[in-house]
Amino acid sequence: MNFIRRVLMVLGIAGIAGAILRIRGKSEPSTQRGGWRPLNPPTDLLEEQISSQK
C-alpha cells in the first residue's frame, strides 16, 4: 500500500511540474523564416529534355 501511495505522489508531482513548465514555457510564436523555394530550372535544360523525349 505504501508503494502505491509513493507512485501516485510521484505521478502527481510530475504532472504538476509538467503543467507549470507548459504554462510558463509559452512564448510568442517565432516568425517563420526560410522554407521551401520554388525550383525553376534553366529553360535550356527544359528544352533539351522535351526534345529528347520526342
Side-chain angles (χ1 to χ4, degrees):
M1 191 66 173
N2 239 358
F3 178 73
I4 294 173
R5 284 185 189 161
R6 286 185 183 174
V7 168
L8 291 176
M9 185 179 67
V10 168
L11 289 176
I13 292 172
I16 291 170
I20 289 172
L21 289 174
R22 184 172 184 146
I23 291 170
R24 292 193 52 128
K26 295 211 178 215
S27 63
E28 295 296 320
S30 63
T31 58
Q32 189 174 12
R33 295 181 184 165
W36 292 93
R37 293 182 301 180
L39 178 62
N40 295 324
T43 54
D44 47 327
L45 288 177
L46 288 174
E47 291 171 0
E48 287 177 16
Q49 287 179 351
I50 292 172
S51 62
S52 66
Q53 288 177 356
K54 290 182 180 180

